[in-house]
Amino acid sequence: MQRRVTGLTAAVAALSMTALLAGCGGDSGDDGDVTLKLVAADYGDSPANSSKKYWSELTKKFEDEHPGIKVEVTVHSWTDVDREVKEMVKDGNAPDLAQIGAYADYAAQDKLYSADDLLSIPTQADFLAPLSKAGEVDRVQYGMPFAASTRLLFFNEKLFKSAGIKPPESWTQLQAAAQKLKARGVKIPYALPLGPEEAQAETLQWLLSGGGGYTDNVGSYDIDSKQNVQTFQWLKNELVGKGLTGPTPPAELDRAEAFAAFTRGDVGMLNGHPTLMQMAAKKGLKYGMVPMPGVNGKGQSTMGVADWMMAFKQNGHRKEIGEFLNFVYSKENVLDFSREYDLLPVTASASQEMTDNKEDSAKLGQFLKELPTSQLYPVGKTSWAQVSVQIKKYIGKTVDKNGDPEAILGQIESKAAAEESAQ
């Protein structure tokens, strides 16, 4: 219950507040302005569309509308940004905000504000449900989704047409299509990138299409489930074993090379995200996209991926951070970012706007349709970073000639359980 402050108590309170404010000049200017420091990842592929440009325009608009709050943004490449933030936090110099790839470790260390601390109810409620849930640790949201994407099965229209193939809707049809492509001399009928770059993504897409996933219904690791084992036995025997994944062993094939091979016309089918559309368009490659086939038909859900915004408590600027984030997540600003980088909006209002817009829908409509039912990595687990390393290191071995999917998935599950219990 709040007490009324009167008389001498009020005077003491006023003097205390004056002293407190006087001691907070470390990141405030002489005019009393608060300066928020944000470290962000670069989504651009050239100086013309660098994220520096996006943030410069956004922060200028914010500062014009919010006198007294300044925002300094430092942009790093994805190769460096997570490490830079980790070092800043370790050195006791955490930024006010970080827009990076993972948040759970910082939440577990009690270094982050929760979304409840920062966002208005309408802003927080506007996040798409699977993204909001993926941002939770112990049912409290600390990670605020900033960018999202899903996966679809891309196919080379020219190769499919020449082989008389329709887009597959089941694993059996995918295998049959791959066999026809191979018979016509296609170098890589289906590209299966299980190399160390991003094996955890291709793996999750296949696990979901087989009715499994990384976790069970209560969020516990279930990597060696019956469904998951059956999925990788099928991949080993029915795709890789029949020579339908090209000359490079899946354990040695990275996503970047698979994408590049697709744009060269060497690949018949592969899982891809919106960035592949840009790459194919630049090469003049005609392609189609369909939902990932499931074991007996269309899969129940696809894989979703999100990047995260988080706010550190160290500098104590909760109110100012909240004002900035409520501005960042306005429908207009979410749309501007999504359109600039061909990524999916993380809010329901912006997603609906893009769905209703003919130009947006023509480009990203199929990805947008998949996002509300997508499943993300278990990023709320602090153990996930190490589990992901294990998947990247070992999952490709499941489809080797002498690979044992059940044993290898069991090995990864055991390591995951050990990491989880160590947290």
Side-chain angles (χ1 to χ4, degrees):
M1 181 177 180
Q2 189 173 13
R3 294 187 300 170
R4 183 179 299 172
V5 181
T6 60
L8 179 60
T9 304
V12 172
L15 287 170
S16 299
M17 183 59 71
T18 301
L20 178 62
L21 293 173
C24 292
D27 46 20
S28 300
D30 293 338
D31 57 0
D33 287 352
V34 168
T35 299
L36 300 178
K37 295 179 180 178
L38 165 64
V39 177
D42 195 350
Y43 289 84
D45 56 12
S46 69
N49 71 344
S50 168
S51 291
K52 292 179 181 179
K53 178 182 177 183
Y54 171 80
W55 286 112
S56 178
E57 294 174 355
L58 183 72
T59 55
K60 184 180 185 306
K61 287 194 298 183
F62 174 78
E63 291 171 357
D64 288 345
E65 296 177 19
H66 297 79
I69 307 176
K70 298 184 182 300
V71 184
E72 292 181 357
V73 184
T74 304
V75 175
H76 294 284
S77 70
W78 272 109
T79 304
D80 300 325
V81 68
D82 287 274
R83 183 185 70 250
E84 291 286 341
V85 171
K86 185 176 182 179
E87 291 177 356
M88 292 173 71
V89 173
K90 183 180 178 181
D91 292 342
N93 189 32
D96 296 285
L97 292 150
Q99 187 272 297
I100 53 179
Y103 67 87
D105 281 350
Y106 302 122
Q109 297 167 32
D110 195 30
K111 294 183 180 295
L112 301 180
Y113 286 116
S114 71
D116 291 338
D117 293 330
L118 303 167
L119 303 177
S120 69
I121 292 175
T123 298
Q124 190 173 359
D126 199 23
F127 289 133
L128 291 167
L131 304 181
S132 183
K133 184 178 181 181
E136 294 178 356
V137 173
D138 295 331
R139 299 186 180 181
V140 177
Q141 185 179 359
Y142 295 96
M144 291 161 279
F146 184 75
S149 69
T150 54
R151 298 293 194 269
L152 290 171
L153 183 73
F154 282 67
F155 61 92
N156 183 310
E157 284 191 344
K158 181 179 178 181
L159 296 178
F160 266 54
K161 185 176 180 179
S162 64
I165 305 170
K166 293 182 179 180
E169 297 180 355
S170 68
W171 288 3
T172 300
Q173 291 180 10
L174 186 148
Q175 182 198 51
Q179 288 173 326
K180 288 184 178 180
L181 291 168
K182 181 182 179 182
R184 296 185 67 85
V186 175
K187 186 176 181 181
I188 308 173
Y190 179 86
L192 184 66
L194 296 177
E197 180 194 4
E198 203 189 33
Q200 79 281 5
E202 183 74 11
T203 297
L204 180 55
Q205 186 62 70
W206 276 100
L207 296 184
L208 292 172
S209 71
Y214 285 134
T215 57
D216 59 21
N217 292 334
V218 295
S220 299
Y221 285 118
D222 197 22
I223 296 170
D224 62 347
S225 69
K226 179 181 178 181
Q227 296 95 323
N228 292 348
V229 170
Q230 290 175 341
T231 292
F232 272 87
Q233 287 174 337
W234 188 89
L235 285 172
K236 178 190 176 208
N237 297 325
E238 303 301 327
L239 277 191
V240 181
K242 294 186 183 303
L244 302 177
T245 55
T248 303
E252 299 174 17
L253 181 65
D254 283 334
R255 183 202 63 182
E257 175 50 33
F259 278 18
F262 182 75
T263 64
R264 293 195 301 266
D266 292 337
V267 174
M269 299 172 280
L270 81 170
N271 284 315
H273 51 66
T275 301
L276 185 54
M277 296 190 304
Q278 299 176 357
M279 296 173 63
K282 288 179 180 178
K283 295 287 188 177
L285 181 81
K286 292 186 177 181
Y287 60 89
M289 301 178 297
V290 293
M292 175 66 181
V295 58
N296 294 313
K298 183 181 181 297
Q300 294 182 354
S301 63
T302 189
M303 184 189 75
V305 176
D307 302 323
W308 303 97
M309 178 74 77
M310 62 213 69
F312 289 88
K313 297 192 290 188
Q314 179 176 319
N315 299 320
H317 295 143
R318 183 183 66 82
K319 178 177 179 293
E320 293 82 4
I321 292 171
E323 287 188 46
F324 180 62
L325 289 177
N326 281 301
F327 178 82
V328 167
Y329 285 108
S330 70
K331 182 171 72 171
E332 176 188 354
N333 290 327
V334 172
L335 284 169
D336 284 348
F337 178 83
S338 300
R339 286 166 173 160
E340 177 67 29
Y341 299 106
D342 282 340
L343 290 165
L344 304 184
V346 297
T347 61
S349 59
S351 184
Q352 187 62 52
E353 179 85 7
M354 289 191 90
T355 300
D356 293 340
N357 182 284
K358 289 184 179 181
E359 184 176 345
D360 291 330
S361 186
K363 183 183 293 187
L364 295 170
Q366 289 177 272
F367 291 99
L368 287 165
K369 185 178 179 181
E370 297 294 317
L371 186 58
T373 58
S374 65
Q375 292 192 31
L376 283 74
Y377 303 132
V379 290
K381 292 178 174 290
T382 55
S383 59
W384 169 244
Q386 289 304 313
V387 173
S388 178
V389 169
Q390 295 298 313
I391 294 167
K392 292 177 182 179
K393 187 174 182 180
Y394 294 110
I395 199 68
K397 298 179 185 297
T398 60
V399 296
D400 285 348
K401 182 178 181 180
N402 297 318
D404 185 339
E406 186 173 6
I408 294 171
L409 289 173
Q411 174 186 339
I412 297 172
E413 170 69 22
S414 296
K415 290 182 178 293
E419 288 289 342
E420 185 75 354
S421 62
Q423 301 302 317

